[in-house]
Amino acid sequence: MICIYSEATNPMHIQAGIHAVDDNNPDFRSFRDGEGERSFEHIVRFEQPFATVPKILITAEKISASGFTLRYFTWGNTQILGLGAQWMAFHESPISQ
């Protein structure tokens, strides 16, 4: 987690993370063994919730002040053994208390 505060009237609160998944996760195995359109989702929970809904620097779903959902997609006969993403969330407000 990264938090940046300054003497400015609008302090910036930033949190960042990395998510990785491979076929050791049973829910992800359809990416290796399946065919057609497939998806896998991972719920990200912020270490410290934001006071309001932050901006997210990644394609995300179900964004709230406490977290969001990452969704990975594939299609056809693509076989994927692992994948990952880096994300960043930020807002010009303090964290909730």
Side-chain angles (χ1 to χ4, degrees):
M1 179 180 72
I2 301 169
C3 290
I4 298 175
Y5 294 98
S6 69
E7 297 296 322
T9 57
N10 294 325
M12 178 72 69
H13 176 212
I14 300 172
Q15 293 187 55
I18 297 172
H19 175 255
V21 65
D22 61 28
D23 65 353
N24 289 321
N25 181 322
D27 294 332
F28 183 75
R29 289 195 184 130
S30 70
F31 271 50
R32 180 194 66 196
D33 300 333
E35 290 189 19
E37 186 173 314
R38 292 155 281 153
S39 68
F40 174 83
E41 73 177 33
H42 172 73
I43 297 173
V44 173
R45 301 263 183 239
F46 300 131
E47 283 186 32
Q48 297 178 321
F50 287 83
T52 59
V53 176
K55 303 276 192 246
I56 308 290
L57 294 179
I58 194 166
T59 302
E61 300 176 345
K62 302 175 189 169
I63 302 167
S64 72
S66 61
F68 64 93
T69 300
L70 284 173
R71 183 176 302 278
Y72 303 100
F73 292 94
T74 190
W75 56 90
N77 64 355
T78 305
Q79 296 179 336
I80 300 174
L81 302 178
L83 52 81
Q86 293 181 324
W87 59 266
M88 184 184 313
F90 63 95
H91 200 284
E92 291 185 3
S93 68
I95 57 177
S96 64
Q97 298 298 324

